[in-house]
Amino acid sequence: MNFPPDLESMPRPGPPAPAVSVSDGPGGHLTPVGLEELNQAQYQAVTTVEGPVLVIAGAGSGKTRTLVYRVAHLLEQGVDPERILLLTFTRKASQEMLFRAGRLLNDSCSRVVGGTFHGVANMLLRRYGTYLGFGSSFTIIDRGDAEGIINLLKSSLGFSGRERQFPSKRVLINIISGAINRSVEIEDLIFSQYVHLSEHSDDILLLARHYAQFKVNHGLMDYDDLLINWKRLLAEVPEARQGICSRYSHIMVDEYQDTNQVQAEIVRLLAHGHQNVMVVGDDSQSIYSFRGADFYNIMRFPKVFPETKIIKLEENYRSTQPILSLTNDIIRNAVDKYTKTLFTRIEGDRRPRLFAADNEREEARFVVRTIGELQGAGVDLKEIAVLFRSGFHSYKLEMELGSQGIEFEKRGGLKLTEAAHMKDMIAFFRILVNPRDNLSWTRIFLHLDKVGPKTAQKISDHLGQAPDPFVALARYPAGKSWQRGMTALVDLMAALVRDETTAQIYERVRAYYQPIFERLFRDDYPKREKDLDQLKGIVSEYDDLQAFVDDTTLDPPESAGRNDPGDQNRLVISTIHSSKGLEWDTVFVIGLADGRFPHSAAQPGEQWEEERRLLYVAATRARQRLYLSYPKELMTPDRQFRRVGMSPFLAELSPGLIEDVGLAVRTQPRYSHAPVGNGLDLEFKHKKPPRLENLALGCRVKHPFFGIGVVEKSHSGRSVDVAFERHGLKTLHLDYAKLTVIES
């Protein structure tokens, strides 16, 4: 693929550039915005306001600062704030940028339109949706809702309970959504990525059509629908395109390397008539193809916009030069790229360190021991992160951290509103803004005593066909066994329609739901209750019920306790994908073994290249210290051990960039006496644990969780099969099982 030539070098900071001034408000003082605040490349990006601009922003190069100052500069130049559109991938990112721009300028920044692609799509579709034949009262559904509908349709179409294995709801949504995001036909996606499901292709197509019609019938849109319908407005409706494109005279897009094909097409259409679009991104940090992101969007941008000016941000404000020299070398061999060389003025001569462990357990011990030493040197746990390719790569590390009392937080998990009890509560709010929301009605009816899935769906379908679902609900002939529950629900909905504030609605729904909640989650409802209390605080911030419902789907809050101040000084362990955009003083990247990184399934070409970029992202998270490690032995799926070498990405690095610490580490005691975990001085004994490799068959053993069992089989002396009295047969690795022999 031939790409337009990029700018091989950008000017380094030199003589002062002309100052840009931003006002602190009417009659306020002028604050200079020149090279005192921006380097030369940033300055060029900020002040180039006409025509298409592609900013290649290397890791830690101040792209957010650049966007913030560009917004301020546009406003200072007299651009109406409501004509500036800032598109990001999280609402938090746009809010932070506009807040920072407001500190430079004034309150006019609050009128800049900023948000996620999906958030802006939602706003525009509620305004222009009539052009496409739907009103403004549609409900946005999340991934869990979509999978629920797919399950319902699988059953109704007779695709469940067959002898032949039909794809799961998760896989079906991946196929349907993947085809949309990649702008390909479902059949083509199946035969390119899901060939093992090709026998089901006709049925999957049929299900996809029914899924689309179900959403239309019940006033629902999923995340893909928001983008597709926004694109349709711009491409198919001249009145809407004219209204939208004339409204926004300056478009800015953050993290452009993460856009899918639909989003890239939206950006192209938005620039109709003026071409004033600036996209910011880093081709070397494109790692989300599994979400539909298209790496080649950023590479194609100069072809889509032939007058594009390419500006590179290469000065790094995060890492020391030895770390940057390594990251530059990682990406040096990338096939398709915008050539750039990151540099820094930050002092530091410590090279990244490499440790080749005999096995995963030794690798985990190396990490834990080094963390202890860092704590002893005054580094807080919160300034340390351990990153890995996939979630299961951290299991042995987690065991070692637990055994040494080191508190950690594994990144990932449910959003607050993805929890079942939260979905139950929010269903009532969704019904009030969209009475045709079949999914929410069904969820509510399933809470009625003596009402099963078939009855719940029957009632929901009846309401969906009625002119007024609330009137139909009041008149529905309830069964004798569930009439009492139905009466209470009818009374509730009648009261909710009369309530005037979101706070009133919350209190009434909470009172109705509380006994149901305690019955459904009797084992842990006191713990879950904190989530409902948190929901109350969220609801109280909204005057507009529709806005609340939209936000809980488009930008759901984090789970309770995630931001608990008491949890701040914890080690972070995370997949590399979840670490993007973050930084720490010290970073460990583990599991860099051949066959594991890159992933064994990665094919030569773009898949392989994305794995290379993933390592680049991991390494650029580090400010001062970077540790790379890999085990020389891995367990295969059939529970055999095989020898492996280092990742080919490490093997191809230039000499002298990494310090090999393997030999030095092995000459040290197993553990240091540095403070670990809670900061207490822990004394580690160097006594080796008893060897259990030769457990005899029939030997009685005790496990701290499974209890008493009998050894039935040994696997090469490394693991055993144990038949436990209460938990059945378990295969346990002798290094970790903590078995004790029961004397006969």
Side-chain angles (χ1 to χ4, degrees):
M1 186 172 186
N2 296 320
F3 297 109
D6 56 87
L7 306 180
E8 292 299 327
S9 62
M10 288 301 303
R12 301 291 191 256
V20 182
S21 63
V22 293
S23 170
D24 195 48
H29 66 279
L30 296 179
T31 305
V33 181
L35 287 183
E36 294 81 5
E37 292 80 19
L38 304 170
N39 64 42
Q40 193 162 338
Q42 291 172 333
Y43 179 86
Q44 189 179 8
V46 166
T47 57
T48 306
V49 297
E50 300 296 327
V53 181
L54 169 61
V55 179
I56 302 298
S61 63
K63 73 172 177 67
T64 299
R65 184 178 186 82
T66 301
L67 285 166
V68 166
Y69 274 74
R70 180 181 170 91
V71 170
H73 177 61
L74 286 171
L75 296 176
E76 198 273 336
Q77 294 296 305
V79 177
D80 186 337
E82 294 181 357
R83 302 196 69 193
I84 301 172
L85 177 60
L86 173 62
L87 293 171
T88 62
F89 277 84
T90 66
R91 187 166 67 168
K92 181 180 178 181
S94 64
Q95 289 175 335
E96 180 185 353
M97 291 180 195
L98 296 180
F99 173 77
R100 289 171 59 177
R103 293 178 64 181
L104 287 174
L105 200 59
N106 55 37
D107 290 341
S108 62
C109 290
S110 63
R111 295 191 288 124
V112 173
V113 181
T116 65
F117 275 91
H118 296 95
V120 174
N122 176 51
M123 176 191 70
L124 293 174
L125 289 173
R126 295 197 186 278
R127 183 177 299 167
Y128 294 100
T130 52
Y131 287 110
L132 298 177
F134 54 83
S136 62
S137 62
F138 59 85
T139 298
I140 305 167
I141 60 174
D142 62 15
R143 172 71 180 239
D145 296 328
E147 290 182 356
I149 295 171
I150 290 294
N151 246 5
L152 176 69
L153 294 173
K154 279 176 62 178
S155 178
S156 65
L157 292 170
F159 297 155
S160 298
R162 294 185 173 186
E163 291 184 1
R164 62 189 181 110
Q165 190 70 33
F166 199 70
S168 68
K169 59 184 180 181
R170 178 184 60 83
V171 171
L172 290 166
I173 283 294
N174 285 345
I175 293 172
I176 295 170
S177 180
I180 292 172
N181 288 311
R182 293 170 174 81
S183 298
V184 299
E185 297 296 326
I186 287 178
E187 303 101 307
D188 295 336
L189 184 68
I190 291 173
F191 283 96
S192 65
Q193 296 189 27
Y194 300 89
V195 67
H196 59 293
L197 300 177
S198 55
E199 66 173 299
H200 301 295
S201 60
D202 290 342
D203 289 342
I204 294 173
L205 278 171
L206 178 63
L207 188 144
R209 288 195 292 270
H210 278 264
Y211 174 61
Q213 191 59 52
F214 183 97
K215 290 182 291 179
V216 171
N217 292 344
H218 298 96
L220 308 174
M221 285 195 198
D222 60 22
Y223 296 139
D224 295 328
D225 294 325
L226 291 173
L227 298 183
I228 288 294
N229 287 324
W230 185 8
K231 175 186 168 182
R232 287 180 59 202
L233 276 178
L234 294 169
E236 302 172 11
V237 186
E239 299 92 336
R241 180 173 63 249
Q242 179 63 30
I244 296 170
C245 294
S246 62
R247 180 183 178 96
Y248 303 116
S249 62
H250 289 81
I251 315 293
M252 287 178 282
V253 186
D254 190 22
E255 303 285 9
Y256 191 71
Q257 79 280 348
D258 294 336
T259 54
N260 59 36
Q261 291 193 19
V262 179
Q263 290 165 326
E265 182 65 8
I266 288 171
V267 172
R268 185 187 71 81
L269 292 167
L270 279 172
H272 175 76
H274 56 72
Q275 304 287 289
N276 295 332
V277 55
M278 185 180 85
V279 301
V280 181
D282 185 3
D283 54 296
S284 300
Q285 298 188 68
S286 178
I287 60 174
Y288 293 121
S289 64
F290 66 95
R291 296 180 184 172
D294 187 348
F295 165 76
Y296 290 104
N297 281 344
I298 196 168
M299 307 305 294
R300 285 190 291 255
F301 187 85
K303 279 193 168 183
V304 176
F305 296 94
E307 302 299 319
T308 295
K309 185 172 187 177
I310 302 175
I311 302 171
K312 297 180 186 177
L313 307 185
E314 295 177 291
E315 182 170 1
N316 178 283
Y317 296 93
R318 175 186 300 160
S319 308
T320 60
Q321 191 58 53
I323 293 174
L324 296 180
S325 297
L326 174 69
T327 59
N328 288 333
D329 211 61
I330 290 172
I331 213 67
R332 169 177 55 87
N333 292 315
V335 176
D336 295 320
K337 63 181 184 295
Y338 291 97
T339 302
K340 59 183 177 294
T341 302
L342 298 182
F343 70 97
T344 188
R345 302 168 189 250
I346 299 173
E347 295 183 359
D349 57 3
R350 178 190 174 97
R351 288 183 295 166
R353 298 186 173 184
L354 175 66
F355 179 67
D358 286 338
N359 49 51
E360 289 183 272
R361 188 176 188 187
E362 187 185 32
E363 182 182 34
R365 287 173 173 172
F366 162 73
V367 173
V368 171
R369 177 175 53 248
T370 308
I371 289 173
E373 294 169 353
L374 291 168
Q375 284 192 279
V379 180
D380 288 338
L381 271 179
K382 64 182 179 183
E383 290 296 338
I384 306 173
V386 185
L387 309 181
F388 31 85
R389 171 64 181 80
S390 301
F392 72 91
H393 294 171
S394 69
Y395 290 164
K396 290 181 176 58
L397 173 66
E398 292 176 49
M399 295 173 67
E400 194 70 17
L401 290 168
S403 70
Q404 304 308 319
I406 298 179
E407 297 207 18
F408 65 91
E409 172 191 351
K410 190 170 184 179
R411 290 292 169 88
L414 289 175
K415 297 287 189 180
L416 181 66
T417 52
E418 291 174 344
H421 54 294
M422 298 294 282
K423 280 183 170 290
D424 289 346
M425 285 283 293
I426 294 171
F428 293 93
F429 292 86
R430 289 173 46 160
I431 287 294
L432 291 175
V433 298
N434 178 15
R436 294 187 298 141
D437 185 345
N438 179 286
L439 203 65
S440 293
W441 277 121
T442 301
R443 190 177 196 97
I444 291 170
F445 292 137
L446 284 172
H447 295 156
L448 299 178
D449 193 25
K450 308 299 183 181
V451 172
K454 289 185 177 180
T455 301
Q457 190 59 54
K458 181 181 178 182
I459 306 171
S460 299
D461 291 342
H462 175 75
L463 300 190
Q465 298 167 7
D468 188 330
F470 295 115
V471 173
L473 176 70
R475 295 175 178 175
Y476 193 86
K480 187 176 181 180
S481 61
W482 47 278
Q483 187 171 25
R484 184 176 177 181
M486 189 68 158
T487 300
L489 177 61
V490 169
D491 292 343
L492 170 69
M493 300 309 300
L496 292 179
V497 172
R498 296 192 301 268
D499 286 335
E500 297 181 355
T501 69
T502 53
Q504 289 173 333
I505 294 172
Y506 170 85
E507 294 295 346
R508 203 179 295 275
V509 172
R510 177 70 181 273
Y512 170 86
Y513 180 64
Q514 187 69 29
I516 299 171
F517 169 67
E518 293 179 7
R519 171 171 55 83
L520 292 176
F521 307 101
R522 58 182 179 273
D523 293 336
D524 65 346
Y525 78 84
K527 181 180 179 181
R528 293 173 179 258
E529 209 155 24
K530 296 177 181 178
D531 293 340
L532 299 184
D533 293 338
Q534 189 172 349
L535 179 64
K536 180 180 181 179
I538 297 169
V539 168
S540 64
E541 298 175 1
Y542 288 84
D543 295 324
D544 183 0
L545 193 61
Q546 181 74 69
F548 165 74
V549 171
D550 289 349
D551 284 355
T552 56
T553 307
L554 291 171
D555 194 37
E558 297 288 345
S559 297
R562 178 69 178 268
N563 299 314
D564 186 349
D567 295 340
Q568 291 301 301
N569 196 32
R570 288 186 174 185
L571 171 74
V572 171
I573 66 173
S574 172
T575 63
I576 300 170
H577 288 99
S578 297
S579 76
K580 189 173 176 295
L582 304 175
E583 61 185 70
W584 293 269
D585 177 89
T586 303
V587 170
F588 296 82
V589 187
I590 65 174
L592 294 170
D594 189 16
R596 179 166 282 188
F597 207 136
H599 191 277
S600 59
Q603 298 296 312
E606 174 51 23
Q607 289 182 352
W608 187 274
E609 292 302 303
E610 180 161 321
E611 293 288 303
R612 183 194 309 278
R613 298 193 295 268
L614 194 62
L615 178 57
Y616 174 88
V617 168
T620 53
R621 301 309 94 198
R623 293 195 292 262
Q624 294 290 330
R625 302 174 188 85
L626 176 62
Y627 296 88
L628 310 172
S629 64
Y630 69 95
K632 293 187 286 187
E633 183 182 74
L634 291 173
M635 181 182 285
T636 63
D638 59 354
R639 307 189 68 80
Q640 301 298 311
F641 288 88
R642 65 180 178 92
R643 302 294 288 180
V644 294
M646 68 173 65
S647 165
F649 299 142
L650 294 181
E652 67 185 21
L653 292 173
S654 302
L657 294 176
I658 296 180
E659 178 184 352
D660 191 335
V661 297
L663 180 61
V665 167
R666 288 190 178 89
T667 60
Q668 296 174 0
R670 176 179 166 188
Y671 293 106
S672 75
H673 293 280
V676 298
N678 57 11
L680 300 176
D681 288 328
L682 301 181
E683 182 177 347
F684 296 99
K685 296 179 180 181
H686 305 294
K687 180 181 176 181
K688 292 184 178 180
R691 308 267 308 171
L692 299 176
E693 285 94 333
N694 298 316
L695 285 176
L697 300 186
C699 178
R700 295 182 78 234
V701 294
K702 185 176 182 180
H703 186 273
F705 177 78
F706 298 124
I708 296 174
V710 177
V711 177
E712 290 198 348
K713 187 177 180 180
S714 176
H715 301 276
S716 304
R718 306 300 294 269
S719 60
V720 291
D721 290 348
V722 181
F724 291 100
E725 296 174 356
R726 294 187 177 182
H727 295 274
L729 191 66
K730 304 290 182 183
T731 300
L732 304 174
H733 197 291
L734 291 170
D735 286 341
Y736 308 110
K738 297 182 179 180
L739 292 174
T740 55
V741 177
I742 300 176
E743 301 293 338
S744 56

